[in-house]
């Protein structure tokens, strides 16, 4: 087992190095990332003095969870505690970003292992090669967006789903959906529905995992975030209401119904785009991975406000088909 891990390390270092290069070339923060980055700053430098936290004066349109920033702050705390003796706040910002990217790379490693268990080592290696050539996925992994806070959990959920480990799959899915991005219920819900329809997972066993996972994760979010926001709140519930029920996200711009298909996905997949249908035709095992991804994009296309980051979770699943096509050439 140790030799197997060691032999895989160089491949993962390529992914980590690619993420680091993208971070070094663009270390600055966009407005969509500001809440999580500011929250990490406040946790690191104001600690338990919540009255000094930025979000109380500038709450934003909807509340966001503090659970992701708490994890990043904990990982970054050793360097931040050294203060100006080691690094400036700007450097700590890059440390925080790299911590987030590293979590996703670790989760991607588990996903790659699952791909290897199904398709073999060569396809898994091609998966890495395809992924590191795609700008958007590598770039976004260090951005402190709610979508990328969820990415490590999503990649782990994909991995557990492929290995038929239903308990961990449901727990990771519950955390990703209830804490970070509620729209993931569509993508991860499709995966769960596939398990139920194929009878690989029974309804009673599903409820055995779903009920405690949902209750525990929801209580964790409400408990922690209510403390920081100083009111009873489930942040992602308010985000879901604002974006989907009230459809107010459209106030930030709208795009044509097919925008994800003719613009976002081609840019995200880059040169691997024509390889995806080749892989789907070459190997039927790719289709159960690609079908939920494409269905998720179709469902998300119904919302008028569109951004590439909203569907970026499907890139690893579609890359498996592209990797399978590369292996067959």
């Amino acid at each position: 087992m140790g030799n197997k891990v060691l032999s895989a390390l160089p491949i993962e270092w390529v992914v980590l190095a690619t993420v680091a290069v993208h971070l070094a070339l663009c270390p600055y923060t966009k407005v969509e990332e500001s809440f999580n980055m500011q929250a990490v700053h406040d946790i690191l430098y104001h600690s338990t003095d919540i009255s000094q936290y930025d979000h109380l004066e500038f709450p934003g349109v909807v509340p966001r969870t503090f659970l992701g920033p708490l994890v990043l702050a904990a990982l970054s705390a050793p360097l931040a505690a050294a203060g100006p003796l080691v690094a400036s706040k700007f450097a700590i910002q890059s440390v925080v970003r790299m911590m987030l990217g590293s979590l996703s790379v670790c989760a991607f490693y588990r996903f790659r292992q699952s791909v290897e268990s199904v398709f073999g080592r060569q396809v898994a290696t091609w998966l890495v090669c395809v992924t590191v050539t795609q700008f958007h996925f590598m770039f976004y992994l260090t951005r402190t967006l709610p979508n990328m806070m969820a990415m490590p959990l999503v990649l782990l959920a994909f991995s557990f789903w492929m290995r038929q480990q239903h308990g961990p799959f449901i727990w990771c899915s519950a955390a990703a959906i209830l804490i970070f991005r509620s729209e993931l219920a569509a993508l991860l819900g499709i995966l769960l529905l596939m398990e139920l329809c194929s009878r690989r997972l029974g309804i009673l066993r599903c409820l055995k995992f779903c009920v405690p996972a949902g209750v525990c994760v929801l209580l964790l979010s409400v408990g922690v975030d209510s403390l920081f926001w100083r009111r009873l709140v489930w942040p992602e519930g308010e985000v879901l209401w604002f974006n989907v029920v009230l459809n107010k996200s459209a106030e930030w711009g709208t795009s044509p119904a097919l925008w994800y298909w003719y613009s976002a996905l081609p840019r995200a997949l880059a040169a691997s785009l024509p390889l995806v249908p080749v892989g789907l035709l070459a190997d039927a095992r790719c289709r159960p991975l690609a079908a939920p991804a494409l269905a998720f994009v179709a469902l998300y296309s119904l919302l008028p406000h569109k951004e590439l980051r909203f569907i970026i979770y499907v890139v690893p699943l579609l890359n498996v088909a592209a990797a399978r096509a590369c292996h067959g050439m």
Side-chain angles (χ1 to χ4, degrees):
M1 182 66 180
N3 291 334
K4 184 178 180 181
V5 172
L6 288 173
S7 64
L9 279 177
I11 298 177
E12 309 314 319
W13 280 112
V14 170
V15 182
L16 193 63
T18 305
V19 169
V21 168
H22 284 78
L23 169 60
L25 292 175
C26 189
Y28 304 102
T29 301
K30 288 183 63 180
V31 63
E32 295 92 342
E33 307 164 44
S34 59
F35 170 80
N36 283 318
M37 184 58 75
Q38 182 66 47
V40 174
H41 169 276
D42 291 345
I43 294 168
L44 288 173
Y45 295 102
H46 296 309
S47 187
T48 57
D49 188 5
I50 298 178
S51 64
Q52 298 297 314
Y53 280 36
D54 181 83
H55 73 285
L56 296 178
E57 185 175 357
F58 303 102
V61 179
V62 289
R64 291 293 184 182
T65 182
F66 272 83
L67 289 170
L70 280 168
V71 172
L72 293 181
L75 294 173
S76 309
L79 276 178
L85 294 176
V86 176
S88 64
K89 285 189 177 182
F90 182 77
I92 296 300
Q93 174 177 286
S94 294
V95 170
V96 171
R97 290 192 182 283
M98 199 61 209
M99 290 298 176
L100 176 59
S102 298
L103 289 176
S104 291
V105 171
C106 290
F108 181 79
Y109 169 64
R110 292 298 304 271
F111 175 66
R112 187 185 67 79
Q113 283 185 315
S114 297
V115 171
E116 181 176 327
S117 69
V118 175
F119 295 91
R121 179 179 292 273
Q122 290 180 311
V123 173
T125 301
W126 274 113
L127 172 65
V128 173
C129 296
V130 167
T131 302
V132 297
T133 65
Q134 296 168 334
F135 166 76
H136 290 89
F137 190 75
M138 292 287 97
F139 170 80
Y140 270 117
L141 287 185
T142 62
R143 316 313 294 183
T144 53
L145 297 157
N147 312 80
M148 306 321 296
M149 293 285 191
M151 183 61 76
L153 290 168
V154 174
L155 289 170
L156 288 175
F158 289 162
S159 176
F160 290 130
W161 172 70
M162 292 182 68
R163 293 176 180 268
Q164 297 292 290
Q165 296 176 337
H166 296 119
F169 162 68
I170 290 173
W171 276 90
C172 286
S173 298
I177 294 166
L178 297 177
I179 296 175
F180 295 111
R181 295 300 301 187
S182 55
E183 79 273 4
L184 281 166
L187 176 57
L188 299 172
I190 292 173
L191 299 183
L192 180 61
L193 186 61
M194 290 171 62
E195 296 303 294
L196 291 171
C197 291
S198 65
R199 297 188 179 181
R200 291 188 292 265
L201 176 64
I203 294 179
L204 291 179
R205 191 160 181 263
C206 176
L207 292 175
K208 178 183 175 182
F209 293 128
C210 287
V211 172
V215 171
C216 290
V217 171
L218 186 59
L219 288 177
L220 176 64
S221 177
V222 172
V224 172
D225 290 314
S226 296
L227 174 66
F228 281 95
W229 284 97
R230 294 187 166 181
R231 65 182 176 89
L232 187 64
V233 62
W234 171 34
E236 197 51 33
E238 293 197 17
V239 173
L240 177 65
W241 181 264
F242 182 89
N243 287 336
V244 178
V245 179
L246 300 180
N247 196 27
K248 287 193 174 183
S249 61
E251 296 176 4
W252 277 259
T254 61
S255 300
L258 298 178
W259 182 81
Y260 284 131
W261 302 99
Y262 69 74
S263 180
L265 277 179
R267 285 184 288 118
L269 296 175
S272 66
L273 177 62
L275 296 173
V276 174
V278 175
L280 294 177
L281 291 173
D283 196 329
R285 294 173 298 176
C286 296
R287 297 166 200 166
L289 278 74
L294 298 176
F296 173 70
V297 175
L299 288 172
Y300 220 88
S301 296
L302 299 176
L303 292 178
H305 179 59
K306 298 176 175 65
E307 295 184 39
L308 189 154
R309 63 187 175 96
F310 294 161
I311 63 161
I312 200 165
Y313 322 103
V314 308
V315 171
L317 294 176
L318 297 177
N319 280 349
V320 175
R324 178 61 183 82
C326 291
H327 175 55
M329 290 181 177

